[in-house]
Amino acid sequence: MQIFVATRNPGKRREYQALLSDLGVEILTPEGINLQLEVEEVGKTFEENALLKAHAYVAAAGIPTLADDSGLEVDALGGLPGILSSRWAGPTDADRIRKLLTHLKDVPWSRRSGRFVCVAALALPNGEVVTARGTVEGRILFAPRGTGGFGYDPIFYVTEAGCSMAELSPAEKNRLSHRGRALRALRPRIKALLDEWGDTPRLST
Ligand code: ITT
C-alpha cells in the first residue's frame, strides 16, 4: 500500500518515515509525486487545520493521505504560538526561536510551561477521515540545547526525558513526541487500511 505523507516540512517527513517504517507501506511525498499545493490554514484549531490539509491533499493525490497540524503552546503566552507556530515569525527556525525567547525573557522557569501538540489526520479517497491528537509536556529553555530534530526542539525541555527535545535521538523523540503519540493512536486504522486498500491502483513515482 502507498501512503501519501502530505507535508512540506522535511523534519516532519523524516519522522513519519521512521514511524511508519515497520508497516511495510510505501511513503509518497509532495516532492516525490511533484505535487505543489498551497493549503490555507484558516482553521481555529489544530484539528480544523489538520483536516483542511488532509482533505485537500487526498483530493489531489487520490491515495490514503496522512497530514498533521502541530505546534508549541506556551502557557505564559496564553497558548501562543500554537496553531501559528510556523507562521508567527520567520521564515527560519532560528527566527521563530529568537522571537519566542524574546517574549519569554523575563519569565522565570516556574512559569515557562508548555507543550507540543500534534493532530494527525488520515484521509481516504472515499471521504472517510480519522484524526488523533498527541501532546508532550515540557518547559521553554532560556537558550537552545542540542542539534537534533527541527523547529522549536532545541528550546523545548521534555519533562519526562530531562533534556531538550533536540538532545534526544530520533528514535527517542518519536517515542515521546506529540507526533509519535498521535501516529501510534492512528496505527490500528492504518493497519486496517492495509487490508482494505492493499491492492488498489498505485501512483507511479
Ligand atoms: P506542513 O503544513 O506542510 O505540514 P508546517 O511546518 O507548516 O508544514 P504546521 O503548519 O503544522 O506545519 O506548523 C508546525 C510548526 O510547529 C513547525 O513549522 C514547527 O515550527 C513547529 N513544530 C511542530 N512539530 C514540531 C516538532 O516536532 N519539533 C519542533 N517544532 C515543531
Side-chain angles (χ1 to χ4, degrees):
M1 188 180 80
Q2 294 176 320
I3 285 192
F4 184 48
V5 172
T7 176
R8 299 194 299 181
N9 180 321
K12 285 188 187 181
R13 212 157 49 220
R14 273 195 301 277
E15 292 179 9
Y16 279 118
Q17 252 143 5
L19 286 163
L20 294 165
S21 62
D22 63 320
L23 287 176
V25 292
E26 184 189 351
I27 294 170
L28 303 185
T29 60
E31 286 74 16
I33 62 168
N34 207 9
L35 176 64
Q36 285 172 16
L37 205 59
E38 197 67 52
V39 183
E40 269 200 88
E41 299 183 22
V42 292
K44 291 192 169 52
T45 62
F46 290 109
E47 276 79 8
E48 285 176 14
N49 283 333
L51 288 173
L52 284 172
K53 293 185 214 183
H55 282 306
Y57 276 104
V58 77
I63 61 169
T65 294
L66 189 61
D68 89 39
D69 198 52
S70 47
L72 180 59
E73 290 181 346
V74 178
D75 295 331
L77 302 179
L80 282 173
I83 60 168
L84 302 175
S85 290
S86 66
R87 292 168 277 157
W88 84 318
T92 68
D93 287 341
D95 295 328
R96 298 173 193 130
I97 285 178
R98 199 175 312 114
K99 179 164 176 178
L100 187 52
L101 291 181
T102 304
H103 273 71
L104 293 178
K105 71 177 168 16
D106 298 322
V107 178
W109 184 240
S110 59
R111 289 202 298 110
R112 296 176 79 94
S113 56
R115 68 208 52 77
F116 272 123
V117 179
C118 173
V119 173
L122 178 70
L124 306 188
N126 66 5
E128 217 181 305
V129 61
V130 30
T131 63
R133 172 181 271 247
T135 61
V136 55
E137 296 289 328
R139 285 176 197 242
I140 313 307
L141 289 159
F142 291 96
R145 269 169 52 177
T147 54
F150 67 95
Y152 299 91
D153 283 346
I155 55 164
F156 187 77
Y157 177 87
V158 185
T159 305
E160 61 191 286
C163 63
S164 88
M165 194 76 114
E167 292 174 312
L168 296 173
S169 70
E172 284 167 332
K173 178 178 173 186
N174 282 339
R175 190 171 64 80
L176 294 176
S177 79
H178 49 316
R179 187 162 296 104
R181 286 174 172 154
L183 197 70
R184 278 193 291 282
L186 282 183
R187 275 175 80 93
R189 191 65 193 103
I190 296 173
K191 282 187 175 160
L193 269 184
L194 288 171
D195 297 334
E196 292 168 34
W197 282 81
D199 38 351
T200 51
R202 299 160 62 81
L203 285 182
S204 54
T205 52

